[in-house]
């Protein structure tokens, strides 16, 4: 089988970000000829970084008195585990993106994402619904950019009867998510912000206002 064409390009540039006291130099990756993001792959940054993010997010989310943490696959999974652990909770709920064998009867929400092409779906296992119904839920993810994934996760939790009391992300990226989430933008707690980038004079520079 032929591999799909690689559309994203490493630019050789990095962007420094202070994630609640943990410095990262993120690679700037062009996802279109005139548009780049600084990519944070939380699964490539080690368990100590994951624990740091979980602890710092838990500090920000604990005052909301959550009963359970919900994370969206794929990169929300380590965040959900670490935030759950740091909050002293046990159960967490993962919203899947691909239909696993046991998810024939899932609650489904359609979403858009900027790092994965086209339309995607979030699926909630109906067997996990009792963990959400009538409970105080925080939704977590690695990055909020368009707000599509997080907004879909919040909507799915509400359809399952949850009270969404907060949302935690390691990074906010640009500001599109504010409009996409509307009033729910105020739920977001984050550890740092990253801009998006456009080419200017042969180098990638932050887009003003992002
Ligand atoms: N900068 C980023 N790093 C990782 N995942 C992302 N999803 C959207 N923006 C992202």
């Amino acid at each position: 089988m032929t591999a799909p064409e690689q559309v994203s390009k490493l630019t050789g540039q990095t962007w420094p970000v202070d994630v609640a006291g943990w410095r990262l130099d993120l690679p700037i990756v062009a996802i279109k000829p005139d548009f780049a993001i600084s990519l944070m792959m939380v699964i490539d940054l080690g368990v100590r970084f994951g624990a740091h993010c979980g602890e710092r997010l838990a500090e920000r989310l604990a005052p909301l008195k959550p009963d359970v943490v919900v994370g969206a696959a794929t990169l929300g999974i380590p965040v959900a585990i670490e935030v759950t652990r740091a909050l002293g909770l046990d159960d967490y709920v993962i919203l899947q993106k691909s239909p696993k064998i046991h998810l024939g009867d899932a609650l489904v929400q359609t979403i858009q994402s900027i790092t994965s092409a086209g339309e995607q779906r979030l699926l909630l296992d109906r067997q996990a619904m009792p963990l959400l119904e009538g409970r105080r839920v925080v939704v977590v993810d690695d990055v909020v950019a368009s707000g599509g994934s997080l907004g879909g996760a919040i909507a799915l939790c509400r359809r399952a009867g949850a009270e969404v009391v907060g949302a935690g992300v390691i990074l906010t990226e640009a500001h599109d998510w504010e409009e996409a989430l509307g009033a729910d933008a105020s739920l977001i707690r984050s550890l740092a912000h990253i801009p998006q980038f456009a080419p200017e004079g042969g180098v990638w520079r932050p887009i003003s206002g992002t």
Side-chain angles (χ1 to χ4, degrees):
M1 203 166 74
T2 321
E5 194 186 334
Q6 184 67 42
V7 286
S8 299
K9 296 211 169 45
L10 285 170
T11 61
Q13 275 182 248
T14 57
W15 183 254
V17 57
D18 177 344
V19 181
W22 189 299
R23 154 92 181 222
L24 295 178
D25 288 293
L26 300 176
I28 297 181
V29 177
I31 57 176
K32 295 184 205 161
D34 59 351
F35 180 73
I37 63 174
S38 58
L39 190 67
M40 184 189 68
M41 292 302 292
V42 65
I43 51 172
D44 294 338
L45 292 169
V47 291
R48 280 191 286 275
F49 177 70
H52 167 77
C53 292
E55 286 158 16
R56 300 291 84 77
L57 281 172
E59 285 166 5
R60 288 153 175 80
L61 295 169
L64 306 170
K65 306 236 176 308
D67 299 314
V68 66
V69 177
V70 173
T74 306
L75 296 177
I77 296 176
V79 185
I81 292 171
E82 293 298 345
V83 171
T84 300
R85 195 197 309 275
L87 284 169
L89 299 174
D90 188 36
D91 290 324
Y92 59 95
V93 174
I94 296 302
L95 307 177
Q96 298 285 356
K97 285 197 173 140
S98 54
K100 308 290 176 209
I101 193 81
H102 67 293
L103 286 180
D105 185 33
L107 265 191
V108 179
Q109 186 82 30
T110 302
I111 58 162
Q112 303 280 342
S113 150
I114 68 165
T115 43
S116 316
E119 200 178 80
Q120 295 194 347
R121 298 184 317 157
L122 284 179
L123 300 106
L124 171 64
D125 183 354
R126 282 183 200 267
Q127 299 211 44
M129 285 176 68
L131 287 172
L132 302 184
E133 195 171 355
R135 304 193 76 209
R136 296 172 68 83
V137 162
V138 290
V139 177
V140 299
D141 213 340
D142 58 337
V143 180
V144 63
S146 71
S149 180
L150 206 66
I154 291 170
L156 204 41
C157 290
R158 288 184 177 141
R159 284 172 59 200
E163 182 188 355
V164 180
V165 295
V169 294
I170 301 173
L171 299 177
T172 53
E173 176 179 322
H175 297 283
D176 296 351
W177 56 274
E178 290 172 6
E179 203 185 317
L181 294 179
D184 288 334
S186 65
L187 295 171
I188 301 275
R189 307 289 184 274
S190 73
L191 302 183
H193 181 82
I194 50 173
Q196 293 170 334
F197 303 85
E200 198 186 303
V203 292
W204 292 89
R205 292 199 195 282
I207 300 169
S208 155
T210 66

